[in-house]
Amino acid sequence: MKPIRRVLRVAAPLLLALAAALPLAGQAQTPNWPNRPLTLIAPFPAGGVADALARSVALRLGEQLGQPVVVDNRGGAGGSVAASMAARSAPDGHTLFVGSQGTQATNSVFYKSLPYDPVNDFAPVHAIAGGVNLLVVHPSRPFKTVRELVAYAKANPGKLNYASAGAGTSTHLTALMFQRAAGIELTHVAYKGSTPALTDLLGGQVDLMFDYPASSGPHVKTGALRALAVTYGERVAALPDVPTMAEAGVPGVESIAWTGLFVPAKTPPAIVARLAAEMEKVIASPEFTEVASKAGVLPLKISGPQFAAYVASETVKWQDLARRSGATPQ
């Protein structure tokens, strides 16, 4: 027994010292964060729906973290300029990035080479919002439902055309998704932006379009356009009488132009987890919900591993559609 007691007397101080050191090691792995203002890099110019959402997130997140979050708008090259800047930033939790299906998925198809890796350069934190697409047609056209539109397109191949905000945009890719699901072919008329496309739709120069409720919704309410369906799993509060694509007879057509919060890939997991928890509060807040409602988008409550899985599945879907779009890499 004496040798055992002697060993315990010798080992006890060492065990106590080790126990005391463990919390310090944990603290070293989770630094004092945040200890200065944060930067939220946004891949779009100031103004507009996306910028309003980013600034709402920045304001609320800054209040919760006790440090200001400054929005840095860096438009250009489909968001690649901002994504590259964010990817090269120090992974210390003080640089955040607003990514989208463009920066994280379709850019790799539409650009020959990217200055960043959409998968390996970022860690997904939390979704922000999604803009659903609304299938709208000119009221003079002889179809009032999706089923009637599909029947007309099959009976008159090549006769119907659709407008988009440009090749590779969600308005274009959603139309491709719809055609594949419905088994029809429509003629694509690409515009330089959604505004001129919507203008020609209102004038009757084109037959239909997948557009955002924020821009086409008011015209639906006045009767200048007819809404046939929304590309989401549930109806949109702003247009409660408009059915989902599944309800309208073409299941599998779910498309939203989403944004989400990302950080550089090597950001400490503890910081990523803390950001995800804080973002849950941001997205659920009345302030953000109001901004999203006015912008005509849906707050997305997808966090942590679930958001990472969502990004992975969306990447496969949008890249497949982008490749089928026939767009030429720049």
Side-chain angles (χ1 to χ4, degrees):
M1 294 296 293
K2 287 184 179 180
I4 295 176
R5 290 174 180 171
R6 188 179 301 114
V7 170
L8 290 174
R9 283 199 301 271
V10 174
L14 295 176
L15 292 172
L16 289 172
L18 179 59
L22 287 175
L24 294 177
Q27 290 173 12
Q29 293 174 2
T30 308
N32 179 25
W33 175 89
N35 54 30
R36 64 179 187 275
L38 292 80
T39 298
L40 177 61
I41 300 176
F44 34 73
V49 171
D51 185 54
L53 293 169
R55 292 183 184 279
S56 178
V57 167
L59 178 62
R60 183 73 178 178
L61 196 58
E63 292 173 351
Q64 293 171 191
L65 293 175
Q67 290 284 356
V69 179
V70 181
V71 177
D72 185 358
N73 298 94
R74 299 276 178 163
S80 295
V81 172
S84 177
M85 179 180 176
R88 295 195 306 269
S89 300
D92 58 8
H94 290 89
T95 298
L96 316 176
F97 173 60
V98 179
S100 68
Q101 80 267 30
T103 60
Q104 309 309 120
T106 56
N107 277 5
S108 60
V109 177
F110 292 118
Y111 294 89
K112 291 181 179 180
S113 62
L114 291 179
Y116 67 96
D117 186 319
V119 176
N120 297 318
D121 285 348
F122 297 98
V125 177
H126 198 292
I128 296 176
V132 304
N133 275 291
L134 181 66
L135 173 54
V136 286
V137 303
H138 193 271
S140 66
R141 299 318 188 250
F143 32 80
K144 296 182 179 180
T145 68
V146 172
R147 286 186 176 87
E148 290 177 356
L149 187 159
V150 172
Y152 184 91
K154 289 181 177 180
N156 301 273
K159 187 173 181 179
L160 291 179
N161 58 32
Y162 70 95
S164 82
T169 63
S170 68
T171 59
H172 175 210
L173 299 182
T174 300
L176 291 179
M177 186 189 302
F178 170 64
Q179 291 174 80
R180 288 175 60 188
I184 60 176
E185 279 194 33
L186 307 173
T187 301
H188 180 209
V189 182
Y191 290 79
K192 294 182 178 180
S194 60
T195 299
L198 185 59
T199 298
D200 273 9
L201 177 61
L202 288 166
Q205 280 76 36
V206 288
D207 300 308
L208 57 98
M209 179 182 179
F210 284 88
D211 191 35
Y212 306 116
S215 53
S216 59
H219 299 295
V220 170
K221 292 179 179 179
T222 63
L225 292 177
R226 180 185 297 140
L228 302 188
V230 292
T231 60
Y232 194 57
E234 59 187 63
R235 298 193 181 197
V236 177
L239 297 165
D241 295 330
V242 180
T244 67
M245 272 289 178
E247 291 174 333
V250 186
V253 183
E254 291 194 19
S255 166
I256 60 173
W258 58 265
T259 56
L261 188 69
F262 295 78
V263 290
K266 295 183 180 180
T267 302
I271 292 179
V272 177
R274 170 81 187 281
L275 273 170
E278 296 298 339
M279 280 297 294
E280 287 182 7
K281 300 175 187 176
V282 171
I283 302 303
S285 68
E287 294 86 354
F288 182 81
T289 300
E290 182 179 359
V291 173
S293 177
K294 289 181 179 179
V297 300
L298 304 167
L300 296 180
K301 300 177 182 180
I302 314 173
S303 182
Q306 291 76 25
F307 181 49
Y310 177 79
V311 172
S313 65
E314 283 285 292
T315 297
V316 173
K317 179 176 75 177
W318 286 101
Q319 284 187 349
D320 178 57
L321 286 168
R323 292 189 180 98
R324 291 172 180 270
S325 70
T328 304
Q330 299 179 8

mmCIF file of all heavy atoms in Angstrom, residues 274-315:
data_model
loop_
_atom_site.group_PDB
_atom_site.id
_atom_site.type_symbol
_atom_site.label_atom_id
_atom_site.label_comp_id
_atom_site.label_asym_id
_atom_site.label_seq_id
_atom_site.Cartn_x
_atom_site.Cartn_y
_atom_site.Cartn_z
ATOM 1 N N ARG A 274 -21.496 29.618 -32.906
ATOM 2 C CA ARG A 274 -22.056 30.804 -32.248
ATOM 3 C C ARG A 274 -22.778 31.685 -33.266
ATOM 4 O O ARG A 274 -23.881 32.194 -33.000
ATOM 5 C CB ARG A 274 -20.918 31.591 -31.576
ATOM 6 C CG ARG A 274 -21.308 32.982 -31.060
ATOM 7 C CD ARG A 274 -22.003 32.969 -29.734
ATOM 8 N NE ARG A 274 -22.498 34.290 -29.380
ATOM 9 C CZ ARG A 274 -21.730 35.282 -28.887
ATOM 10 N NH1 ARG A 274 -20.421 35.077 -28.684
ATOM 11 N NH2 ARG A 274 -22.263 36.451 -28.571
ATOM 12 N N LEU A 275 -22.173 31.860 -34.429
ATOM 13 C CA LEU A 275 -22.811 32.665 -35.473
ATOM 14 C C LEU A 275 -24.134 32.046 -35.914
ATOM 15 O O LEU A 275 -25.120 32.752 -36.126
ATOM 16 C CB LEU A 275 -21.873 32.787 -36.684
ATOM 17 C CG LEU A 275 -20.856 33.922 -36.675
ATOM 18 C CD1 LEU A 275 -19.865 33.748 -37.817
ATOM 19 C CD2 LEU A 275 -21.547 35.274 -36.758
ATOM 20 N N ALA A 276 -24.155 30.726 -36.052
ATOM 21 C CA ALA A 276 -25.380 30.044 -36.453
ATOM 22 C C ALA A 276 -26.487 30.271 -35.428
ATOM 23 O O ALA A 276 -27.642 30.528 -35.786
ATOM 24 C CB ALA A 276 -25.121 28.546 -36.630
ATOM 25 N N ALA A 277 -26.123 30.185 -34.137
ATOM 26 C CA ALA A 277 -27.108 30.398 -33.072
ATOM 27 C C ALA A 277 -27.630 31.835 -33.087
ATOM 28 O O ALA A 277 -28.832 32.075 -32.900
ATOM 29 C CB ALA A 277 -26.487 30.079 -31.719
ATOM 30 N N GLU A 278 -26.740 32.787 -33.343
ATOM 31 C CA GLU A 278 -27.159 34.195 -33.382
ATOM 32 C C GLU A 278 -28.015 34.467 -34.613
ATOM 33 O O GLU A 278 -28.963 35.252 -34.570
ATOM 34 C CB GLU A 278 -25.933 35.109 -33.375
ATOM 35 C CG GLU A 278 -25.074 35.033 -32.115
ATOM 36 C CD GLU A 278 -25.824 35.461 -30.864
ATOM 37 O OE1 GLU A 278 -26.840 36.177 -30.972
ATOM 38 O OE2 GLU A 278 -25.391 35.068 -29.758
ATOM 39 N N MET A 279 -27.685 33.808 -35.737
ATOM 40 C CA MET A 279 -28.459 33.999 -36.957
ATOM 41 C C MET A 279 -29.875 33.442 -36.816
ATOM 42 O O MET A 279 -30.813 33.964 -37.413
ATOM 43 C CB MET A 279 -27.743 33.346 -38.145
ATOM 44 C CG MET A 279 -26.624 34.178 -38.725
ATOM 45 S SD MET A 279 -27.199 35.769 -39.412
ATOM 46 C CE MET A 279 -28.205 35.202 -40.779
ATOM 47 N N GLU A 280 -30.032 32.393 -36.037
ATOM 48 C CA GLU A 280 -31.374 31.865 -35.787
ATOM 49 C C GLU A 280 -32.259 32.937 -35.166
ATOM 50 O O GLU A 280 -33.434 33.082 -35.511
ATOM 51 C CB GLU A 280 -31.296 30.635 -34.879
ATOM 52 C CG GLU A 280 -30.741 29.401 -35.561
ATOM 53 C CD GLU A 280 -30.714 28.186 -34.646
ATOM 54 O OE1 GLU A 280 -31.249 28.283 -33.518
ATOM 55 O OE2 GLU A 280 -30.171 27.141 -35.048
ATOM 56 N N LYS A 281 -31.669 33.705 -34.256
ATOM 57 C CA LYS A 281 -32.410 34.793 -33.602
ATOM 58 C C LYS A 281 -32.704 35.918 -34.599
ATOM 59 O O LYS A 281 -33.789 36.502 -34.588
ATOM 60 C CB LYS A 281 -31.605 35.345 -32.423
ATOM 61 C CG LYS A 281 -31.281 34.328 -31.339
ATOM 62 C CD LYS A 281 -30.373 34.954 -30.289
ATOM 63 C CE LYS A 281 -29.878 33.929 -29.286
ATOM 64 N NZ LYS A 281 -28.907 34.525 -28.325
ATOM 65 N N VAL A 282 -31.723 36.202 -35.451
ATOM 66 C CA VAL A 282 -31.905 37.272 -36.445
ATOM 67 C C VAL A 282 -33.063 36.948 -37.384
ATOM 68 O O VAL A 282 -33.962 37.763 -37.599
ATOM 69 C CB VAL A 282 -30.604 37.472 -37.267
ATOM 70 C CG1 VAL A 282 -30.866 38.421 -38.443
ATOM 71 C CG2 VAL A 282 -29.494 38.035 -36.395
ATOM 72 N N ILE A 283 -33.043 35.747 -37.955
ATOM 73 C CA ILE A 283 -34.047 35.363 -38.941
ATOM 74 C C ILE A 283 -35.443 35.290 -38.322
ATOM 75 O O ILE A 283 -36.450 35.555 -38.988
ATOM 76 C CB ILE A 283 -33.681 34.013 -39.586
ATOM 77 C CG1 ILE A 283 -32.298 34.094 -40.244
ATOM 78 C CG2 ILE A 283 -34.728 33.603 -40.608
ATOM 79 C CD1 ILE A 283 -32.157 35.181 -41.284
ATOM 80 N N ALA A 284 -35.516 34.948 -37.028
ATOM 81 C CA ALA A 284 -36.810 34.835 -36.345
ATOM 82 C C ALA A 284 -37.313 36.164 -35.807
ATOM 83 O O ALA A 284 -38.463 36.258 -35.351
ATOM 84 C CB ALA A 284 -36.710 33.829 -35.200
ATOM 85 N N SER A 285 -36.484 37.201 -35.869
ATOM 86 C CA SER A 285 -36.864 38.491 -35.279
ATOM 87 C C SER A 285 -37.957 39.185 -36.089
ATOM 88 O O SER A 285 -38.007 39.077 -37.314
ATOM 89 C CB SER A 285 -35.640 39.408 -35.195
ATOM 90 O OG SER A 285 -35.211 39.799 -36.486
ATOM 91 N N PRO A 286 -38.856 39.908 -35.426
ATOM 92 C CA PRO A 286 -39.909 40.656 -36.126
ATOM 93 C C PRO A 286 -39.336 41.679 -37.105
ATOM 94 O O PRO A 286 -39.924 41.927 -38.163
ATOM 95 C CB PRO A 286 -40.670 41.339 -34.991
ATOM 96 C CG PRO A 286 -40.383 40.515 -33.781
ATOM 97 C CD PRO A 286 -38.987 40.030 -33.960
ATOM 98 N N GLU A 287 -38.183 42.268 -36.745
ATOM 99 C CA GLU A 287 -37.579 43.287 -37.602
ATOM 100 C C GLU A 287 -37.180 42.699 -38.960
ATOM 101 O O GLU A 287 -37.466 43.273 -40.020
ATOM 102 C CB GLU A 287 -36.350 43.894 -36.920
ATOM 103 C CG GLU A 287 -36.657 44.684 -35.662
ATOM 104 C CD GLU A 287 -36.722 43.806 -34.418
ATOM 105 O OE1 GLU A 287 -36.648 42.557 -34.537
ATOM 106 O OE2 GLU A 287 -36.846 44.358 -33.310
ATOM 107 N N PHE A 288 -36.517 41.534 -38.924
ATOM 108 C CA PHE A 288 -36.098 40.914 -40.187
ATOM 109 C C PHE A 288 -37.298 40.408 -40.964
ATOM 110 O O PHE A 288 -37.353 40.524 -42.191
ATOM 111 C CB PHE A 288 -35.117 39.770 -39.931
ATOM 112 C CG PHE A 288 -34.623 39.119 -41.195
ATOM 113 C CD1 PHE A 288 -33.606 39.691 -41.935
ATOM 114 C CD2 PHE A 288 -35.209 37.953 -41.677
ATOM 115 C CE1 PHE A 288 -33.168 39.119 -43.125
ATOM 116 C CE2 PHE A 288 -34.780 37.370 -42.858
ATOM 117 C CZ PHE A 288 -33.755 37.958 -43.575
ATOM 118 N N THR A 289 -38.255 39.835 -40.256
ATOM 119 C CA THR A 289 -39.465 39.322 -40.913
ATOM 120 C C THR A 289 -40.185 40.437 -41.666
ATOM 121 O O THR A 289 -40.681 40.235 -42.785
ATOM 122 C CB THR A 289 -40.411 38.707 -39.867
ATOM 123 O OG1 THR A 289 -39.753 37.628 -39.203
ATOM 124 C CG2 THR A 289 -41.676 38.183 -40.531
ATOM 125 N N GLU A 290 -40.216 41.625 -41.078
ATOM 126 C CA GLU A 290 -40.876 42.761 -41.727
ATOM 127 C C GLU A 290 -40.138 43.181 -42.991
ATOM 128 O O GLU A 290 -40.755 43.440 -44.030
ATOM 129 C CB GLU A 290 -40.957 43.940 -40.758
ATOM 130 C CG GLU A 290 -41.669 45.153 -41.338
ATOM 131 C CD GLU A 290 -41.757 46.315 -40.360
ATOM 132 O OE1 GLU A 290 -41.282 46.172 -39.212
ATOM 133 O OE2 GLU A 290 -42.304 47.370 -40.753
ATOM 134 N N VAL A 291 -38.800 43.245 -42.906
ATOM 135 C CA VAL A 291 -38.006 43.616 -44.077
ATOM 136 C C VAL A 291 -38.198 42.594 -45.193
ATOM 137 O O VAL A 291 -38.370 42.948 -46.362
ATOM 138 C CB VAL A 291 -36.511 43.728 -43.704
ATOM 139 C CG1 VAL A 291 -35.660 43.935 -44.953
ATOM 140 C CG2 VAL A 291 -36.288 44.895 -42.749
ATOM 141 N N ALA A 292 -38.178 41.314 -44.834
ATOM 142 C CA ALA A 292 -38.348 40.249 -45.826
ATOM 143 C C ALA A 292 -39.723 40.317 -46.476
ATOM 144 O O ALA A 292 -39.871 40.137 -47.690
ATOM 145 C CB ALA A 292 -38.130 38.888 -45.184
ATOM 146 N N SER A 293 -40.751 40.590 -45.658
ATOM 147 C CA SER A 293 -42.111 40.666 -46.174
ATOM 148 C C SER A 293 -42.248 41.806 -47.177
ATOM 149 O O SER A 293 -42.854 41.644 -48.246
ATOM 150 C CB SER A 293 -43.099 40.857 -45.022
ATOM 151 O OG SER A 293 -44.422 40.995 -45.495
ATOM 152 N N LYS A 294 -41.688 42.964 -46.854
ATOM 153 C CA LYS A 294 -41.747 44.104 -47.764
ATOM 154 C C LYS A 294 -40.996 43.821 -49.065
ATOM 155 O O LYS A 294 -41.355 44.329 -50.127
ATOM 156 C CB LYS A 294 -41.171 45.349 -47.083
ATOM 157 C CG LYS A 294 -42.049 45.917 -45.974
ATOM 158 C CD LYS A 294 -41.428 47.158 -45.371
ATOM 159 C CE LYS A 294 -42.321 47.753 -44.283
ATOM 160 N NZ LYS A 294 -41.712 48.957 -43.656
ATOM 161 N N ALA A 295 -39.926 43.006 -48.964
ATOM 162 C CA ALA A 295 -39.124 42.686 -50.142
ATOM 163 C C ALA A 295 -39.733 41.550 -50.958
ATOM 164 O O ALA A 295 -39.266 41.256 -52.060
ATOM 165 C CB ALA A 295 -37.707 42.311 -49.725
ATOM 166 N N GLY A 296 -40.768 40.911 -50.411
ATOM 167 C CA GLY A 296 -41.417 39.820 -51.126
ATOM 168 C C GLY A 296 -40.620 38.533 -51.127
ATOM 169 O O GLY A 296 -40.733 37.722 -52.056
ATOM 170 N N VAL A 297 -39.787 38.322 -50.075
ATOM 171 C CA VAL A 297 -39.000 37.093 -49.987
ATOM 172 C C VAL A 297 -39.360 36.340 -48.713
ATOM 173 O O VAL A 297 -40.047 36.866 -47.829
ATOM 174 C CB VAL A 297 -37.483 37.385 -50.012
ATOM 175 C CG1 VAL A 297 -37.102 38.079 -51.301
ATOM 176 C CG2 VAL A 297 -37.079 38.234 -48.809
ATOM 177 N N LEU A 298 -38.871 35.098 -48.616
ATOM 178 C CA LEU A 298 -39.185 34.251 -47.478
ATOM 179 C C LEU A 298 -37.973 34.089 -46.574
ATOM 180 O O LEU A 298 -36.898 33.701 -47.053
ATOM 181 C CB LEU A 298 -39.627 32.865 -47.964
ATOM 182 C CG LEU A 298 -40.796 32.820 -48.940
ATOM 183 C CD1 LEU A 298 -40.895 31.438 -49.566
ATOM 184 C CD2 LEU A 298 -42.086 33.166 -48.229
ATOM 185 N N PRO A 299 -38.092 34.372 -45.273
ATOM 186 C CA PRO A 299 -36.986 34.083 -44.357
ATOM 187 C C PRO A 299 -36.737 32.576 -44.329
ATOM 188 O O PRO A 299 -37.685 31.789 -44.268
ATOM 189 C CB PRO A 299 -37.515 34.572 -43.001
ATOM 190 C CG PRO A 299 -38.612 35.534 -43.328
ATOM 191 C CD PRO A 299 -39.234 35.012 -44.591
ATOM 192 N N LEU A 300 -35.478 32.174 -44.408
ATOM 193 C CA LEU A 300 -35.152 30.749 -44.433
ATOM 194 C C LEU A 300 -34.522 30.326 -43.107
ATOM 195 O O LEU A 300 -33.448 30.794 -42.738
ATOM 196 C CB LEU A 300 -34.189 30.439 -45.585
ATOM 197 C CG LEU A 300 -34.729 30.678 -46.993
ATOM 198 C CD1 LEU A 300 -33.677 30.329 -48.031
ATOM 199 C CD2 LEU A 300 -35.998 29.870 -47.235
ATOM 200 N N LYS A 301 -35.202 29.450 -42.392
ATOM 201 C CA LYS A 301 -34.736 29.007 -41.076
ATOM 202 C C LYS A 301 -34.001 27.678 -41.214
ATOM 203 O O LYS A 301 -34.446 26.637 -40.741
ATOM 204 C CB LYS A 301 -35.913 28.904 -40.126
ATOM 205 C CG LYS A 301 -36.638 30.242 -39.925
ATOM 206 C CD LYS A 301 -37.856 30.105 -39.030
ATOM 207 C CE LYS A 301 -38.577 31.443 -38.880
ATOM 208 N NZ LYS A 301 -39.775 31.346 -38.023
ATOM 209 N N ILE A 302 -32.846 27.720 -41.881
ATOM 210 C CA ILE A 302 -32.018 26.533 -42.089
ATOM 211 C C ILE A 302 -30.627 26.834 -41.546
ATOM 212 O O ILE A 302 -29.966 27.758 -42.011
ATOM 213 C CB ILE A 302 -31.923 26.160 -43.575
ATOM 214 C CG1 ILE A 302 -33.299 26.211 -44.245
ATOM 215 C CG2 ILE A 302 -31.306 24.774 -43.744
ATOM 216 C CD1 ILE A 302 -33.251 26.018 -45.739
ATOM 217 N N SER A 303 -30.183 26.047 -40.575
ATOM 218 C CA SER A 303 -28.959 26.381 -39.866
ATOM 219 C C SER A 303 -27.973 25.227 -39.819
ATOM 220 O O SER A 303 -28.349 24.066 -39.965
ATOM 221 C CB SER A 303 -29.306 26.799 -38.422
ATOM 222 O OG SER A 303 -28.155 27.174 -37.708
ATOM 223 N N GLY A 304 -26.691 25.582 -39.603
ATOM 224 C CA GLY A 304 -25.654 24.599 -39.336
ATOM 225 C C GLY A 304 -25.546 23.498 -40.369
ATOM 226 O O GLY A 304 -25.542 23.742 -41.576
ATOM 227 N N PRO A 305 -25.465 22.233 -39.923
ATOM 228 C CA PRO A 305 -25.327 21.095 -40.853
ATOM 229 C C PRO A 305 -26.472 21.003 -41.853
ATOM 230 O O PRO A 305 -26.276 20.592 -42.990
ATOM 231 C CB PRO A 305 -25.316 19.883 -39.912
ATOM 232 C CG PRO A 305 -24.844 20.416 -38.597
ATOM 233 C CD PRO A 305 -25.407 21.804 -38.515
ATOM 234 N N GLN A 306 -27.678 21.371 -41.420
ATOM 235 C CA GLN A 306 -28.817 21.339 -42.338
ATOM 236 C C GLN A 306 -28.617 22.325 -43.490
ATOM 237 O O GLN A 306 -28.960 22.038 -44.641
ATOM 238 C CB GLN A 306 -30.117 21.652 -41.594
ATOM 239 C CG GLN A 306 -30.586 20.581 -40.624
ATOM 240 C CD GLN A 306 -29.777 20.571 -39.342
ATOM 241 O OE1 GLN A 306 -29.206 21.589 -38.956
ATOM 242 N NE2 GLN A 306 -29.739 19.433 -38.666
ATOM 243 N N PHE A 307 -28.044 23.493 -43.186
ATOM 244 C CA PHE A 307 -27.790 24.471 -44.236
ATOM 245 C C PHE A 307 -26.687 23.978 -45.163
ATOM 246 O O PHE A 307 -26.760 24.162 -46.384
ATOM 247 C CB PHE A 307 -27.420 25.828 -43.637
ATOM 248 C CG PHE A 307 -27.154 26.900 -44.661
ATOM 249 C CD1 PHE A 307 -28.042 27.123 -45.707
ATOM 250 C CD2 PHE A 307 -26.007 27.682 -44.594
ATOM 251 C CE1 PHE A 307 -27.800 28.100 -46.671
ATOM 252 C CE2 PHE A 307 -25.756 28.670 -45.537
ATOM 253 C CZ PHE A 307 -26.651 28.876 -46.584
ATOM 254 N N ALA A 308 -25.668 23.340 -44.608
ATOM 255 C CA ALA A 308 -24.596 22.784 -45.437
ATOM 256 C C ALA A 308 -25.155 21.749 -46.400
ATOM 257 O O ALA A 308 -24.789 21.711 -47.584
ATOM 258 C CB ALA A 308 -23.516 22.160 -44.555
ATOM 259 N N ALA A 309 -26.064 20.903 -45.915
ATOM 260 C CA ALA A 309 -26.696 19.886 -46.774
ATOM 261 C C ALA A 309 -27.566 20.544 -47.835
ATOM 262 O O ALA A 309 -27.614 20.096 -48.988
ATOM 263 C CB ALA A 309 -27.522 18.928 -45.921
ATOM 264 N N TYR A 310 -28.260 21.620 -47.450
ATOM 265 C CA TYR A 310 -29.116 22.352 -48.389
ATOM 266 C C TYR A 310 -28.269 22.957 -49.509
ATOM 267 O O TYR A 310 -28.623 22.851 -50.690
ATOM 268 C CB TYR A 310 -29.867 23.445 -47.644
ATOM 269 C CG TYR A 310 -30.734 24.324 -48.520
ATOM 270 C CD1 TYR A 310 -31.983 23.891 -48.946
ATOM 271 C CD2 TYR A 310 -30.303 25.587 -48.922
ATOM 272 C CE1 TYR A 310 -32.781 24.686 -49.755
ATOM 273 C CE2 TYR A 310 -31.097 26.392 -49.717
ATOM 274 C CZ TYR A 310 -32.337 25.942 -50.135
ATOM 275 O OH TYR A 310 -33.107 26.739 -50.928
ATOM 276 N N VAL A 311 -27.153 23.558 -49.145
ATOM 277 C CA VAL A 311 -26.257 24.164 -50.138
ATOM 278 C C VAL A 311 -25.740 23.099 -51.104
ATOM 279 O O VAL A 311 -25.698 23.306 -52.319
ATOM 280 C CB VAL A 311 -25.077 24.879 -49.447
ATOM 281 C CG1 VAL A 311 -24.041 25.327 -50.477
ATOM 282 C CG2 VAL A 311 -25.576 26.090 -48.667
ATOM 283 N N ALA A 312 -25.377 21.932 -50.561
ATOM 284 C CA ALA A 312 -24.865 20.847 -51.408
ATOM 285 C C ALA A 312 -25.920 20.375 -52.413
ATOM 286 O O ALA A 312 -25.620 20.187 -53.595
ATOM 287 C CB ALA A 312 -24.407 19.683 -50.532
ATOM 288 N N SER A 313 -27.154 20.195 -51.946
ATOM 289 C CA SER A 313 -28.216 19.733 -52.843
ATOM 290 C C SER A 313 -28.575 20.801 -53.871
ATOM 291 O O SER A 313 -28.816 20.492 -55.045
ATOM 292 C CB SER A 313 -29.458 19.333 -52.042
ATOM 293 O OG SER A 313 -30.033 20.455 -51.386
ATOM 294 N N GLU A 314 -28.598 22.062 -53.450
ATOM 295 C CA GLU A 314 -28.902 23.154 -54.370
ATOM 296 C C GLU A 314 -27.809 23.309 -55.420
ATOM 297 O O GLU A 314 -28.082 23.633 -56.574
ATOM 298 C CB GLU A 314 -29.060 24.461 -53.583
ATOM 299 C CG GLU A 314 -30.372 24.596 -52.856
ATOM 300 C CD GLU A 314 -31.508 24.921 -53.812
ATOM 301 O OE1 GLU A 314 -31.530 26.025 -54.366
ATOM 302 O OE2 GLU A 314 -32.379 24.059 -54.007
ATOM 303 N N THR A 315 -26.567 23.060 -55.011
ATOM 304 C CA THR A 315 -25.453 23.158 -55.942
ATOM 305 C C THR A 315 -25.611 22.156 -57.081
ATOM 306 O O THR A 315 -25.449 22.492 -58.254
ATOM 307 C CB THR A 315 -24.115 22.914 -55.215
ATOM 308 O OG1 THR A 315 -23.916 23.947 -54.237
ATOM 309 C CG2 THR A 315 -22.947 22.919 -56.195
#
